[in-house]
Amino acid sequence: MRSLDRTQYRRIASVSEAGPDSVVASPKRSIVAVNCRAITGGLVASDLVWAQFRSVSGRLLERPVSQLREEPLEKRAGLWQPPRYQGRRAITTWWRPADRAGHAGCTTLGALEMAISLEFDPDVATFASWPVRLFWAGSADGYLPDFFARLRDGRALLVVRRPGGRADSASWDQTQELVTAAGVQAGWKVRVHTGDEDTVAVRNRQRLARYRHDRLADADTVSVLREVFAQPCSFDDGVAASGLPPLATVACGLHLIWRGELLIDWRRPFVPGRSLVRTRTEAQR
């Protein structure tokens, strides 16, 4: 696609000042951003979604999202850093994906839940926080999705969080329209995190997430635990029956549950002394 004249479009607000849920408006121009028909100096912009992102060297770039189909945004630096100020109520959490360098930023508990969910998803290879900002061509409004992920089959996944509470539904509808259009034009999948998932499963994931690292899976211990849990029993009974050192065996067993090699009922709270654990069969893979 031909690059549009850069003078026809205004750079959106500074990435250091606008957060992922912010809408940045300019009083200098009259813009109709809802239907992406922006009129600026007689120019009628098309229904294109543009993206702001960083190059490998960290330089700030802007391109139509249709040109980013093969761009590894999950490897790029984030566009935004949570500001620190006195009286801030939210605490930023930096999530460390298992066995990978770098961290993903989470400004809310909902975003942290999203990061854990992405980490738990076996189809997700890697993900990054805030690497791309989206905006309609000719518009001064921008939206910064929470995460950009790369799936194991090579496809890209854009992950956004639906605001809870008394969030403006009209604003969310506009955001969803923008994100959906970006997904279509760039060939990205789009996942909306609504936060209404089963609470018990979420709690189980949060508890087991500390055992997500592959270094906990000793090959010999894995083999023994698969054999032990071929017959369903409680987690504690299986660890005891293995005859292996308990501390390392517990860590390995919980890692296998996280990885899905050992199965539990995620709809019920995981209690090591009572919850039944069984080995996943080939038919269940």
Side-chain angles (χ1 to χ4, degrees), residues 81-150:
Q81 293 290 329
R84 296 183 179 182
Y85 54 85
Q86 187 175 4
R88 182 186 177 99
R89 299 182 64 182
I91 299 176
T92 303
T93 298
W94 294 97
W95 177 260
R96 172 74 181 273
D99 304 304
R100 294 194 295 272
H103 293 75
C106 309
T107 55
T108 65
L109 291 177
L112 178 60
E113 181 182 317
M114 289 169 59
I116 296 176
S117 177
L118 286 171
E119 186 84 22
F120 183 74
D121 190 339
D123 293 330
V124 174
T126 186
F127 62 95
S129 56
W130 314 310
V132 61
R133 184 186 294 275
L134 305 172
F135 56 101
W136 293 114
S139 173
D141 297 342
Y143 178 73
L144 191 64
D146 294 272
F147 299 107
F148 186 92
R150 183 66 58 182

Side-chain angles (χ1 to χ4, degrees), residues 10 61 72 93 120 142 155-156 166 185 197-198 256 269 272:
R10 171 185 176 272
L61 303 175
T93 298
F120 183 74
R155 291 180 298 170
R166 300 179 180 179
Q185 294 177 27
E197 191 179 356
D198 179 51
L256 292 179

